[in-house]
Amino acid sequence: MAAAASVGFLATANPLPSMAASGGAPPTREELNRIKVGYEGIEYLLANFDKETTICRENGGECKRDAEPVRRYLGLRSTTDPLFQIEKVFNKVKYMELEDPDKLETFFEATEEFNSAINLSNSMAFVSQFGEYNPGGGKDEVLKYLNEAKKQVVTVRDSLKVIILGI
């Protein structure tokens, strides 16, 4: 019983690391700007999807579709990508003083949709990289999964737009 009491004391005396790390601080201006820069990157990717996801060899060689740019624009390849671990910024929004607090629910629904679309797009982009080598695969399979990734990128863009309008 004494052990249970001490566990309860430790739980209240030491907040969870994630809560302590955020310290209840709202996102910085730079962090909020990452959302906007990421949105602009996603807009560019969608406007130039075929160009960004096609790599041709020099001197008129064969062209191949490549999903790597999709994953890069989604912030999944480098710590310098604007959307890299952007969910940490989303989590800080609850500490902001918003003009319309009723927008918080819409904001968090959009972040859930964003996270889901990121995961699905990442999966489809990853699978597309191996579509040509799988049994029954080929360039058509690569394109099929790449197009599925693109559909999710559209959802990412739409979610980011709602997120930006909510903050």
Side-chain angles (χ1 to χ4, degrees), residues 59-133:
N59 301 324
E62 178 185 12
C63 295
K64 292 177 72 175
R65 298 303 295 267
D66 182 23
E68 187 63 25
V70 173
R71 298 177 76 214
R72 186 175 63 246
Y73 280 97
L74 293 176
L76 302 170
R77 301 305 298 153
S78 170
T79 59
T80 61
D81 294 334
L83 294 177
F84 178 76
Q85 294 185 352
I86 201 70
E87 62 277 354
K88 290 180 180 181
V89 177
F90 296 160
N91 287 334
K92 290 182 173 185
V93 168
K94 62 186 166 198
Y95 300 112
M96 289 177 65
E97 290 185 30
L98 300 174
E99 290 178 27
D100 184 1
D102 293 335
K103 289 185 177 180
L104 263 182
E105 185 176 341
T106 304
F107 171 85
F108 283 111
E109 286 172 1
T111 62
E112 288 175 16
E113 192 173 272
F114 171 87
N115 287 329
S116 178
I118 285 276
N119 289 331
L120 284 169
S121 186
N122 183 35
S123 295
M124 294 297 106
F126 183 78
V127 169
S128 78
Q129 292 176 310
F130 302 100
E132 198 169 341
Y133 307 107

